[in-house]
Amino acid sequence: MPAIVPVTGNEIEEVEVELTPWKQAFSQQAMAQKPPAFFSTGGAVPVMEGYLPGAARNRLSINEGEHTETTRRQREASMKESTRRRESAAKGESRRFSFMSSSAEFNKLLIESLQNGKGGKGDGGKSRKPRADKRNRLSSGTFCRIENQSALLSTYIDNNKVSCGKTGLYLLLVMGSILFMIGFVLGMGFLPMMVDDMVKKKLILSPDGPCFSAEDGGMCPGSVQSKYFLWNITNPTEYLQGTQAPRLEEVGPFVYNTYEKVYHANFVPNKTVVEYEYTYFWNYSAPDSCAGCEDLASLDIFTVNSAYLQVLDQAGGSETSLIMAFLPQIFDGLFQGLRGIVALSADPSATEAELDALALGQWANCSALGASVSSLPAYQENDPYVPEVGAWKSANVDNSSFESGVSEDVARKIFGKQSGGAAAAAADPFPDALSFIGGMLMMPEADFSFLSGMPEAQIAVVKGYLFYVIGTYGTMTLQAAVGSPLGAQSSGLIIKRSAKDLLEGWQDPLLAGFAPGMNLSYNLGFHTDNIDSIDAQMASGLLNSTHPFVFAKEAKTGQYNPSETGEVISFGGQRETQHGNGTEGVRGRSMDPSTGFRFYNFRKEQDFEVFHEGVQRPFTFLRDEKDSVVHKIDALHFRLDPNETVTCGANATQCIYADNVNGAWNISNIYMAPTLGSFPHFYPEDQSSDHVQLSFNTDNRREWGYDIEPRMGVALKTTVPFQYNYRVAPTDVLHPAIWMPPGGSQEGVWIPQFYYDLMVEISAKDAFKLRKVLNILKVVTLCLLCVLPTVGIIMVVYSTFKLFFSLET
């Protein structure tokens, strides 16, 4: 193939070139046209250096008539090479190939311009319109044609062979950039703010929110389901007689639906704090309870009587001290008995005052009858004891006359028959019978004599008599008040009651003896018998948080800081609580439905505190390493800090409490008796054959924990089971033989009474709604953060490529 030689204006001369037969026609047409200005007439075609492949080595002549087989093959090979390089350039294999292909295209345009000088055979002699060069095509807006080539661009430009231009590509570039920015701005800014605002409105406490609005009337929507388990002593008689260690079995669950009602809510002016009183209402759910537990009244349980232990603890820990508290009632009974007997022999016209004087004289000196009433046969049938102090002194001190030397004034104080009115009582250091008797028994004789004016000789006689009364009339009175051991309506250390009585309230005869006429109800869980009266009195303002079943609380609303929603400030009117070894400020999140179970922005929280109303102290919960799943919803799991259950010796921070048993909390100061709070099935001692034994279902054992959905601040599951354990020991009057471990401490053994399983879990219906909301948020977030920016990037890349890098443009 002849070499292609570049020429300049001074070198133009005629050059001969061999042409293939199919090119001859083309050559004739080209020569027939008027040549461009830079060609000489009939001269050779100038070729620009560097634009044709091999331009430095070959010279191309287009003179007609010169062609050989060799030049034909070389020409065809050159055309194939040009085609291959153009295809390579289109695939992006080489910028050099792209450049060379563009050079071949340019030379092709030059040759076509010669042909367009005059019409050829194929177009009927008509002149063709010259094609626009690259610059003109780019500016004219006709450089590309879309024919179902791009699904993305077809959404913006019609698919029907619509020409797109430079303006459209710039528009596409701008729109892609906007989509990219909109996706990130909405996904990372607007949407989180919108969700956060929605969560705040749901969690923050307000006067028109749940439980506090006038529409709700103070009643919180929904209920909390609590499961109660009672510990039944299966060998109560043997335990009381001291022949066997107690055997206890778990009975339950007894399921109650609990409702809270709020009274007298008061929001401070800036609505950052709310003060309110509240109580709970219950109804029994038999279908959810244990098999055979439908009729609670027919299910008998033998258990520890915490009411008796509380009364005993308030009396100093012994039944003798308890009897001392009964002495005013005992002496009132003695006085009425003596007065009735002396009235039989007195003048029928005697006044009430004269009969009182006769009865007091008979007690002090047996002056009314001249002898003790115990000598009367009719009296001996009902009372084997000597009621008068004179008769007691004669029989036990000096074996002489009935003269005790006790004045009438002293006798009146002992029987509560003082005269002188309110003014005299206000000036008296011992204004009533109980304080007078108690001071005489407990104070040094000289001190009591100085304060009371009673001679020391009389004090010694009367004190001896009082201890005699405690051991005789006092024991008899206490036994009568307590009732027979394990009777259906008896009191004492161990009692028999129906499950309904234990859970919903019973009348303890010992409490009734201390406060006659008050109709006190004692229960382990609920006050269903007082619900109507409590509600009516609370609504009318006649009742407040001084009632044992009404509570007062002050909590933060979250208006200032949503993360503090439900934070307790005070409980029971106290901002500090007294524990065994000191005081501690009230703090931690609330647990009641009106202000509790709100956890705003918990995605990064590692721990939080909860104020437990039953223990009246804060507890710390730590985030678990493993998250949890509740009803197919991912949640953060928080468990109780292990340091919360150790003694002072194991953790100095616990020394504010009187905790002396690992795994339990000393709550004796709250429940006014030696009491431990613990997890269910807890027992501090070895449960061997000669010790307390517990029988229970291990499936009912649960640890404390919270499962929180962090984005919406919802507590999906709350598990706070709590067991009450009481220390039982032999007493000095009625229960001296109750069982104690061999060789063990005589302080007593811990006996579990009951436990409740507070497990609040979101319902399946509410969980479905929450999952739906969370999934919608996930889809919207995914679209905003992924789909829109991805579409925008595609549009930007496509338009940029078309504008600046595509061969078509």
Side-chain angles (χ1 to χ4, degrees), residues 643-674:
N643 289 325
E644 297 287 358
T645 60
V646 300
T647 63
C648 171
N651 183 8
T653 61
Q654 294 292 96
C655 289
I656 192 173
Y657 314 113
D659 296 338
N660 52 9
V661 178
N662 275 320
W665 305 285
N666 190 336
I667 51 177
S668 303
N669 62 312
I670 300 175
Y671 294 93
M672 299 178 294

Side-chain angles (χ1 to χ4, degrees), residues 52 55 106 116 127 155 196 232 255 276 279 299 326 435 494 526 555:
L52 291 178
F106 179 75
N116 291 334
S127 299
T155 61
D196 186 73
N232 180 40
V255 180
Y276 63 101
T279 189
L299 184 59
F326 274 104
S435 62
I494 307 299
F526 317 111

